[in-house]
Amino acid sequence: MKLKLSALLFLFCSFMSLTAQTTITGTISDETSLTLPGVNILVKGTDRGTNSDFEGKYSIKVSKGEILQFSFVGFVNQEVVVAGQNVIDIVLKEDAQQLNEIVIIGYGSTTKKDLVSSVSSVKADVLENQPVARLDQALQGRATGVSVTSNSGDPGSGSTIRIRGNSSINGNNNPLYVIDGFIVGTDFNLNTLNVNDIKSVDVLKDATALSIYGTRGASGVILVTTKNGTEISKGKPRISLNHYYSVQQVANEIDLLNGEDYVNYINEAGQFNPNLNNGFGGTDPTLPLLFDEPGEIETTDWLDLAAQTGYVRNTDLSIMGNSENSNYYISINHFDQEGILKGSGLERVTFRTNLDVRLSDKFKTGIRLNATHYKKENNKVNYSQIVSNVLPIRTVYDENGDYTGVNPISSGTERNPVADANLRVDHDLVTKLITNAYVEYELFENFKLKSTFGAEITHTKYNDYLPGALPDRQISKAGTGYANIATNYGKSILNENTFTYDLGLENHSVKLLGGFTWQKDTNESTVSQADGFPNDAVLFNNLALGDATLYYANSGYGQRTLASFLGRVDYGYKSKYLLTLVGRYDGSSVFEEGSKYAFFPSVGLAWNVSDETFLEDVDVIDKLKVRGSYGIVGEQGVNSYNSIATYNNTINIFNDNVVNGVQLGSVPSEGLTWETTKQLDLGFEVSLLKDRISFEADYYLKTTEDLLLAKALSAQAGGGTQLQNVGSVENQGFEFSLNTINVEKKDFSWNSTLTISTNKSKVLELDGRDYLDLQSTGNQGGTSARLIVGESMPVFIGLKYLGTYKNEDEIIADGRKGMSFIGGPRFENLDDNPTWNDEDAVIIGSPEPDFYGGFRNTFTYKGLSLDVFFQGQYGNDIFNIRTQASYYGRGEQNLDSRVLNRWQEGVNETSDIPRAGASTSLFNPNSTVNIEDGSFLRLKTATLNYNLPLEKIGLENTLSAFNVYVTGTNLFLLSKFKLGDPETSNFSASSGLGSVSQGFASGTYPYAKSVTLGLKMEF
């Protein structure tokens, strides 16, 4: 019995000694002894694992005989058997194949080495944790050849994106967006995409990259790839929680006159008498003053009353996993922003799931799904109206405590910004679903068939209610309410069927792509309006309560279909000599019979010079490549029913009755062809000193022909407009990208990235005309923007401002006695007519910068990292629309602070700023005074991040990573622009003449400077 017990005890102790877990510690580094944080350590065959900390150290409990797997992106996986060690230090070797960066291109991917095209890539680490709602706001200055201009600081507002300049007049200059392979169009609502879900953004720029998208590639393509489970090693899933809170304030306040200075100006203008001094004008002290005690005038700071401290709260929760046969990424995001102007904001919830499953060695399937719902509180305060019309001497409330609604100078009815913020109801409700599923089957070795089916479904509801309590409605609408409801239902269905065949021979590689795609877009819209609500109890929720005689209703429907064949051939010899041939044959429903189809080909060549034997012994050069491409892409930016006559509704009086009718809106376009862009690109890439210096340069020349323009028809021709092909434009420029590893030590590193881009446009032909007028900005200034053959696209037009008239002789010499006065504005007259008009206009500026770009520096010291990014541009002009009233002195409008240094009789008679009253009611043409320098340098973001040492705080068994960070946004701006932020665009950038009429400013919703505090935990 004792023998049996001894045997059992021996076996038990032996078993315990085999299964007892011990703690293994160690440090993981690369072959240069640089420690590696974030390395995945997994006990093979289990879900037990951990990650190395910021010093490359790790700790894990294992049993004798178990196998530890070490994996890290860019390095070869390594396995070690536990055989009684307590310390296991690991040196990981670089994986040359992984280190060759993968670049996403249309309908596939390739390595950076084998890339023939010009593509700019932006990775997730650049985009994450910026306090912005939209991808475009995070892209500014990050990619060469991509100009991103924010149109407004309003939460959720879009940006103007131009890739290698404008290529169209009436067509679309916005890039095409492709989200995880689904083509979502050029007007995709980026508010429905969570920036922190994005893995990479690849911008396609040259013909070989763009022609695979045919008729939609002329303005560039932005490919967005979201995260998936392959980003982590197989085994234990990764749960990530990321939260940040941002405090925001107005960044660049506009300087306007205060109440006392404004009243002094008004009084001075009131005593100006044009009949004095022989009709040359002068001050008449006998005229009464409008305000007796300027010093007692109280100032209302309307800009300050409209503003508030805004905030952004963002929370991301995600889980990703990777196994032998599947990978997944699931996330949910809540984004909540309250704007820096009262009554504005955006709240959004986004859910995403990405799944890939390998069902067998030959069969693979997957799905991408993104669902978003958001509410956007539209800006209720007309900020540009405050800048222009809401005077500092006007009070918020009258003597009865009611909101004021009248301009104290003109007595005209005006909105009250405080009342607007408190009473108006104005918001968008948007729900969007994007899903794209695929099946892929390998028919035989390296020959794969793939079919995708996707849908984008969008429902938008716009609610607008103007309560009767608003002061402007109290005055003009007898205190009744107004409601407006608009709905839009859009649906896009896409089916793509492709094959790929990778034929690898000993020294040759051939990759074939072919396919057929079909996409149908439909859109339904309704508008319902009612006026005359006796009270505001139900807002817009019951239109029947409005005045039955004031109803309005409308609806619309649109549809367009695109069917295409596409193909690409990639050939390489020893990965040294590369050739790419691309073609797409598109058919569009928007063109007339006989013009519905077009073919868009391209060809590209590249030479990896560094693989040549004559460079084998040149150690300083790691990579050297030259490349070139040429091809044709198209633009189908025309209305759905362009090939048939369209009619607009109208109201007629028949037998004293109001009846509905129709009138010709546009006649069918005849012989209309696609806009085609022919583009040449020459590129150069080099890496030096073991990739410590990487430089890339591109030169491009693209010519767009058969420009589309909606031309007005004469009354004899039936009126309306007709879309016609009218001319051609050219864009050419250079793009430079420089990446450097300045310092790389064990505990400290410093990396830099510099991007610089230029673009020079030129109008080549305008259907036989010398010029085409684009914009007249009002305020009696005349034409302000024009397309002129031989000039950039567009240019600002106006007269040359010469200052003020200093004496009678100057007025007489200009033939303007009785029209101009001493101290009044003087302009250059180019003809014999003393009247200032468009005949005296010259080119006074251009919104096109000489160059633009960004400069990023990242510093790391142990667990700390600092990321500093500057963005800017140089050489562009801005047309200040406000100058017409604020500089020359329209008394019922706000005044520019520059008028404090105006011409004053007997006080400041050398000033070139017009005297008060000398030009108030006169025509003042657009001039060089309107033009301001739009150059700027901005500290866009600065982020300080700290990776907490998990072992030291006892969380190594709970968390795999714990980061805290603080980010400053728009902390510094160097600019001479006077009307707020120089990054502005007054006219719509989506379509029509506003698409090219960029660079105008009127004082839009201001931009925010912010400080953000966040944390990120990984489990």
Side-chain angles (χ1 to χ4, degrees):
M1 185 66 179
K2 292 183 178 180
L3 181 61
K4 290 182 178 181
L5 288 174
S6 299
L8 288 173
L9 182 62
F10 174 77
L11 291 173
F12 178 75
C13 293
S14 300
F15 174 77
M16 291 300 295
S17 66
L18 289 172
T19 58
Q21 290 188 332
T22 59
T23 299
I24 302 294
T25 62
T27 302
I28 306 173
S29 60
D30 65 8
E31 293 172 294
T32 65
S33 298
L34 184 69
T35 56
L36 299 175
V39 176
N40 188 277
I41 303 106
L42 182 69
V43 180
K44 189 173 183 178
T46 74
D47 59 358
R48 305 197 321 271
T50 186
N51 294 90
S52 60
D53 63 16
F54 64 90
E55 294 180 337
K57 296 179 180 179
Y58 73 95
S59 174
I60 188 170
K61 291 184 177 180
V62 295
S63 300
K64 186 176 180 180
E66 289 187 313
I67 299 174
L68 288 178
Q69 296 177 317
F70 299 84
S71 60
F72 193 55
V73 175
F75 291 83
V76 177
N77 293 348
Q78 193 172 141
E79 294 185 353
V80 176
V81 178
V82 178
Q85 313 98 310
N86 291 320
V87 177
I88 300 178
D89 294 328
I90 298 296
V91 177
L92 293 181
K93 297 181 179 180
E94 290 184 347
D95 187 330
Q97 185 174 359
Q98 286 192 46
L99 289 174
N100 197 348
E101 181 185 353
I102 299 297
V103 179
I104 305 299
I105 56 176
Y107 299 93
S109 63
T110 187
T111 63
K112 182 69 173 175
K113 180 178 181 180
D114 292 338
L115 181 64
V116 172
S117 307
S118 177
V119 179
S120 292
S121 298
V122 181
K123 302 304 180 185
D125 66 304
V126 175
L127 304 173
E128 287 181 336
N129 299 327
Q130 296 188 42
V132 296
R134 298 168 55 96
L135 170 63
D136 49 0
Q137 297 167 348
L139 275 179
Q140 291 178 300
R142 303 289 187 175
T144 58
V146 183
S147 171
V148 182
T149 302
S150 295
N151 298 331
S152 167
D154 191 10
S157 65
S159 302
T160 299
I161 298 182
R162 294 294 179 262
I163 298 176
R164 294 185 169 181
N166 288 310
S167 299
S168 184
I169 301 176
N170 255 132
N172 201 324
N173 285 302
N174 295 329
L176 176 71
Y177 290 94
V178 181
I179 312 296
D180 288 325
F182 188 92
I183 301 174
V184 294
T186 58
D187 56 352
F188 179 68
N189 186 351
L190 290 173
N191 283 316
T192 60
L193 197 62
N194 177 21
V195 176
N196 287 340
D197 280 339
I198 296 173
K199 178 181 179 181
S200 67
V201 177
D202 295 273
V203 183
L204 312 185
K205 298 180 293 185
D206 77 330
T208 52
L210 297 173
S211 60
I212 198 71
Y213 290 103
T215 62
R216 294 178 285 186
S219 298
V221 177
I222 296 179
L223 305 180
V224 178
T225 304
T226 57
K227 297 175 181 177
N228 58 46
T230 60
E231 297 177 38
I232 63 173
S233 301
K234 296 174 183 178
K236 181 181 178 181
R238 176 189 296 172
I239 300 174
S240 177
L241 175 64
N242 181 29
H243 176 79
Y244 65 75
Y245 184 86
S246 176
V247 178
Q248 302 185 319
Q249 293 182 328
V250 174
N252 306 291
E253 297 181 351
I254 298 174
D255 188 16
L256 300 173
L257 290 194
N258 61 29
E260 181 179 355
D261 291 333
Y262 176 84
V263 166
N264 284 330
Y265 187 97
I266 293 300
N267 280 341
E268 188 177 321
Q271 291 190 326
F272 174 76
N273 187 339
N275 298 315
L276 293 182
N277 300 322
N278 271 337
F280 291 103
T283 300
D284 186 352
T286 66
L287 294 175
L289 296 175
L290 188 59
F291 298 92
D292 293 331
E293 299 292 340
E296 297 180 3
I297 296 294
E298 293 185 6
T299 296
T300 302
D301 190 342
W302 291 98
L303 295 179
D304 183 66
L305 288 172
Q308 66 180 0
T309 298
Y311 68 80
V312 177
R313 292 181 299 200
N314 183 85
T315 302
D316 290 285
L317 178 63
S318 67
I319 179 171
M320 63 170 62
N322 192 10
S323 66
E324 291 295 332
N325 295 315
S326 66
N327 74 83
Y328 61 89
Y329 172 80
I330 302 171
S331 74
I332 187 168
N333 164 257
H334 177 247
F335 180 93
D336 183 19
Q337 180 176 9
E338 186 169 312
I340 55 175
L341 292 188
K342 295 173 182 176
S344 63
L346 175 73
E347 185 172 12
R348 178 188 68 200
V349 176
T350 303
F351 173 78
R352 168 170 290 278
T353 180
N354 295 343
L355 173 66
D356 298 291
V357 179
R358 181 171 294 281
L359 301 176
S360 69
D361 291 341
K362 293 182 173 294
F363 194 59
K364 181 180 177 182
T365 186
I367 190 171
R368 302 290 184 269
L369 184 147
N370 189 86
T372 301
H373 176 77
Y374 73 80
K375 180 180 182 180
K376 182 180 184 299
E377 290 289 351
N378 297 312
N379 178 31
K380 300 163 185 64
V381 176
N382 189 333
Y383 198 78
S384 61
Q385 185 203 27
I386 299 178
V387 173
S388 61
N389 286 56
V390 186
L391 299 179
I393 60 173
R394 176 182 163 190
T395 59
V396 179
Y397 305 99
D398 62 19
E399 61 275 7
N400 299 319
D402 298 322
Y403 290 115
T404 62
V406 174
N407 185 302
I409 300 297
S410 69
S411 299
T413 301
E414 288 182 351
R415 292 168 56 175
N416 184 310
V418 176
D420 284 344
N422 293 335
L423 300 177
R424 289 174 70 103
V425 179
D426 187 342
H427 58 250
D428 295 324
L429 299 171
V430 178
T431 302
K432 182 184 283 287
L433 174 69
I434 304 176
T435 182
N436 196 26
Y438 74 91
V439 291
E440 182 180 278
Y441 183 73
E442 188 172 10
L443 190 61
F444 52 86
E445 186 176 4
N446 294 327
F447 185 91
K448 298 177 181 179
L449 299 174
K450 184 176 182 181
S451 182
T452 67
F453 184 84
E456 177 189 9
I457 300 173
T458 307
H459 181 265
T460 302
K461 185 172 185 281
Y462 170 69
N463 294 324
D464 178 28
Y465 186 77
L466 305 181
L470 286 170
D472 47 315
R473 292 196 65 82
Q474 289 281 337
I475 296 170
S476 62
K477 296 294 182 180
T480 59
Y482 164 85
N484 177 23
I485 299 174
T487 64
N488 188 282
Y489 176 75
K491 182 172 64 176
S492 179
I493 304 297
L494 174 65
N495 174 236
E496 297 185 316
N497 303 278
T498 60
F499 76 86
T500 57
Y501 184 36
D502 293 353
L503 180 62
L505 303 176
E506 184 176 354
N507 292 318
H508 305 269
S509 67
V510 179
K511 298 180 180 180
L512 303 178
L513 166 71
F516 169 78
T517 77
W518 176 88
Q519 189 163 13
K520 180 180 180 180
D521 298 329
T522 58
N523 185 275
E524 299 178 49
S525 61
T526 63
V527 176
S528 302
Q529 299 172 357
D531 209 337
F533 287 83
N535 60 62
D536 305 324
V538 297
L539 304 179
F540 46 77
N541 293 305
N542 191 343
L543 298 184
L545 295 180
D547 188 331
T549 64
L550 299 176
Y551 290 148
Y552 172 80
N554 198 1
S555 62
Y557 177 83
Q559 174 183 310
R560 62 195 305 150
T561 305
L562 187 73
S564 312
F565 293 93
L566 58 91
R568 180 170 60 219
V569 178
D570 292 309
Y571 169 77
Y573 176 69
K574 294 184 177 180
S575 291
K576 187 188 304 184
Y577 310 112
L578 307 171
L579 167 69
T580 295
L581 299 171
V582 185
R584 180 164 178 141
Y585 187 67
D586 272 341
S588 175
S589 63
V590 302
F591 288 95
E592 62 186 296
E593 291 296 334
S595 301
K596 291 184 180 293
Y597 296 92
F599 180 64
F600 301 96
S602 67
V603 59
L605 296 168
W607 176 25
N608 282 307
V609 186
S610 52
D611 287 352
E612 298 289 354
T613 55
F614 58 79
L615 285 180
E616 284 183 351
D617 297 329
V618 183
D619 295 334
V620 69
I621 298 177
D622 304 306
K623 303 181 185 70
L624 175 61
K625 181 167 73 173
V626 293
R627 50 179 168 77
S629 65
Y630 180 81
I632 302 173
V633 289
E635 164 60 37
Q636 55 152 339
V638 299
N639 295 328
S640 297
Y641 303 108
N642 176 74
S643 59
I644 59 177
T646 61
Y647 292 85
N648 298 327
N649 64 295
T650 185
I651 295 176
N652 296 287
I653 306 297
F654 185 72
N655 289 335
D656 295 329
N657 295 316
V658 178
V659 295
N660 288 325
V662 294
Q663 65 182 13
L664 184 66
S666 64
V667 299
S669 299
E670 298 177 356
L672 197 70
T673 61
W674 312 71
E675 285 185 346
T676 55
T677 298
K678 302 174 181 177
Q679 183 172 187
L680 169 71
D681 185 278
L682 301 175
F684 169 83
E685 302 170 23
V686 63
S687 294
L688 307 173
L689 303 174
K690 295 184 178 180
D691 293 325
R692 293 183 69 91
I693 300 175
S694 300
F695 179 74
E696 186 170 346
D698 277 88
Y699 166 77
Y700 63 88
L701 172 64
K702 64 177 189 176
T703 303
T704 304
E705 300 173 345
D706 298 319
L707 290 174
L708 297 169
L709 177 67
K711 295 179 66 174
L713 301 178
S714 65
Q716 292 82 356
T721 62
Q722 183 184 48
L723 202 62
Q724 299 178 9
N725 298 111
V726 298
S728 60
V729 297
E730 173 188 280
N731 285 275
Q732 63 176 318
F734 292 91
E735 299 165 358
F736 305 101
S737 175
L738 176 66
N739 294 278
T740 60
I741 301 174
N742 306 312
V743 179
E744 190 173 36
K745 301 292 186 180
K746 180 179 180 180
D747 293 328
F748 178 74
S749 67
W750 170 25
N751 299 339
S752 298
T753 299
L754 175 67
T755 63
I756 296 177
S757 305
T758 72
N759 181 80
K760 293 299 179 185
S761 62
K762 181 190 290 187
V763 180
L764 301 179
E765 199 265 327
L766 286 174
D767 195 29
R769 290 178 288 184
D770 293 329
Y771 64 87
L772 172 68
D773 288 337
L774 294 178
Q775 295 290 345
S776 295
T777 51
N779 289 314
Q780 303 177 333
T783 302
S784 49
R786 180 177 287 175
L787 295 181
I788 301 177
V789 174
E791 300 294 338
S792 60
M793 179 181 180
V795 291
F796 299 132
I797 295 296
L799 277 62
K800 183 178 179 180
Y801 182 70
L802 300 179
T804 56
Y805 283 108
K806 305 299 192 300
N807 53 60
E808 300 174 3
D809 293 339
E810 292 178 344
I811 296 176
I812 294 172
D814 287 351
R816 291 191 56 84
K817 183 177 181 182
M819 293 186 286
S820 293
F821 310 99
I822 295 175
R826 184 184 187 187
F827 303 93
E828 186 176 41
N829 200 322
L830 299 180
D831 56 20
D832 296 330
N833 185 349
T835 302
W836 297 321
N837 52 41
D838 279 357
E839 299 301 318
D840 303 312
V842 295
I843 297 172
I844 57 176
S846 168
E848 197 169 73
D850 294 334
F851 64 86
Y852 59 91
F855 184 42
R856 181 190 185 199
N857 284 275
T858 56
F859 307 87
T860 63
Y861 176 71
K862 294 186 175 180
L864 282 171
S865 66
L866 176 64
D867 189 329
V868 181
F869 177 64
F870 287 89
Q871 171 230 351
Q873 61 186 29
Y874 176 80
N876 63 300
D877 297 310
I878 298 176
F879 190 103
N880 188 336
I881 299 174
R882 285 289 310 124
T883 298
Q884 291 302 112
S886 65
Y887 187 81
Y888 299 114
R890 292 286 297 271
E892 76 279 9
Q893 299 189 32
N894 275 316
L895 299 173
D896 192 315
S897 60
R898 287 177 291 179
V899 303
L900 293 174
N901 190 37
R902 62 187 176 273
W903 193 100
Q904 289 181 288
E905 189 172 323
V907 177
N908 187 12
E909 297 186 352
T910 61
S911 174
D912 283 324
I913 298 173
R915 72 183 298 171
S919 59
T920 300
S921 59
L922 299 178
F923 169 80
N924 291 303
N926 298 321
S927 72
T928 48
V929 174
N930 293 86
I931 304 303
E932 297 188 33
D933 186 0
S935 305
F936 70 89
L937 178 65
R938 184 196 312 277
L939 177 53
K940 184 68 175 178
T941 58
T943 299
L944 180 64
N945 182 82
Y946 180 57
N947 297 306
L948 275 71
L950 299 180
E951 284 188 4
K952 293 182 180 179
I953 59 178
L955 293 176
E956 69 276 12
N957 295 322
T958 305
L959 300 175
S960 58
F962 190 1
N963 306 330
V964 294
Y965 56 90
V966 59
T967 298
T969 305
N970 292 337
L971 298 179
F972 168 79
L973 176 67
L974 182 63
S975 169
K976 297 179 181 179
F977 185 57
K978 301 177 182 64
L979 198 64
D981 200 288
E983 221 178 326
T984 182
S985 182
N986 191 74
F987 296 106
S988 171
S990 59
S991 61
L993 298 181
S995 182
V996 292
S997 299
Q998 302 303 299
F1000 288 89
S1002 61
T1004 56
Y1005 192 113
Y1007 296 94
K1009 57 183 176 183
S1010 65
V1011 176
T1012 303
L1013 180 64
L1015 59 88
K1016 183 177 181 181
M1017 296 182 290
E1018 293 182 355
F1019 301 86

